[in-house]
Amino acid sequence: DGNIYVAATTVYGANPAPNTTKKIDGKTGKISVFASLPNNGPAFGNINYDCVSETLYVSNHDDGRIYQVDMAGKVVSTYRHSDKNVTLGLANDPGEPNGVFIPLAQRVWAVQSHAGRLYYSTWREDTGRKDAVESNAIWSVGYKDETGVIDPMTAKLEFLLPAYNGQNYSNPVSDISFAQTGWMLVAQ
């Protein structure tokens, strides 16, 4: 409908409302709270609209889940990469949200739906925290059906990020997009 949806982040500094996603009305420009998700501090990574399921996917740095949210702001499902756990509705993880970034390697950031799959990045290392074993990665998962609920059995490692600019580490991918030809573009 021409609206813009944005997610709070603290990756670049503090945010007084780390648990909110907002809607910017495409006609009036009015900003309103779209959805409040479980988060007590680290906020979110990325947000993506899926045209088939007509839902949004939001990556959460607090609990490591990707939230699927309908256009009324209600959580449809969640998916956690680290253990491939899927919930219908909100998750009930003991101790979460705890206000602390989920550990590296369990942290998801970029999300982008494309051709019946949800592509997402995992944040394993960065400039100040290098991993000698594995680099940041791009994964994908398919959907159970056109509702957009994730099928964890379809999780697939797409690729590991190459070393950044001649260094011995990669930086996390904060955004993924696809060109009309199907080429994947990543912002590192």
Side-chain angles (χ1 to χ4, degrees), residues 25-168:
D25 188 275
K27 293 184 177 108
T28 67
K30 181 182 176 197
I31 300 171
S32 60
V33 172
F34 172 69
S36 292
L37 302 175
N39 197 297
N40 287 339
F44 308 114
N46 197 250
I47 189 169
N48 170 248
Y49 176 74
D50 178 65
C51 296
V52 176
S53 65
E54 296 182 350
T55 59
L56 293 170
Y57 293 96
V58 183
S59 62
N60 191 329
H61 287 314
D62 196 323
D63 62 10
R65 289 186 176 276
I66 298 170
Y67 285 75
Q68 181 191 17
V69 182
D70 69 18
M71 298 317 294
K74 180 182 174 200
V75 174
V76 175
S77 69
T78 73
Y79 167 71
R80 187 171 45 220
H81 167 78
S82 62
D83 61 6
K84 310 300 185 264
N85 176 267
V86 173
T87 65
L88 295 180
L90 283 168
N92 187 20
D93 297 322
E96 288 292 349
N98 65 4
V100 178
F101 273 89
I102 192 147
L104 291 176
Q106 296 178 33
R107 199 176 300 174
V108 292
W109 193 337
V111 288
Q112 179 68 48
S113 55
H114 177 70
R117 294 185 73 78
L118 182 68
Y119 291 80
Y120 61 94
S121 66
T122 56
W123 180 355
R124 177 177 288 276
E125 66 176 351
D126 54 39
T127 304
R129 298 168 291 188
K130 299 168 183 142
D131 186 320
V133 178
E134 196 171 328
S135 66
N136 296 305
I138 303 297
W139 286 78
S140 73
V141 286
Y143 306 119
K144 291 187 178 190
D145 53 33
E146 290 187 359
T147 64
V149 174
I150 290 172
D151 179 357
M153 300 302 293
T154 64
K156 174 183 172 189
L157 173 63
E158 295 292 338
F159 62 92
L160 297 175
L161 272 289
Y164 176 73
N165 212 17
Q167 302 297 318
N168 62 347

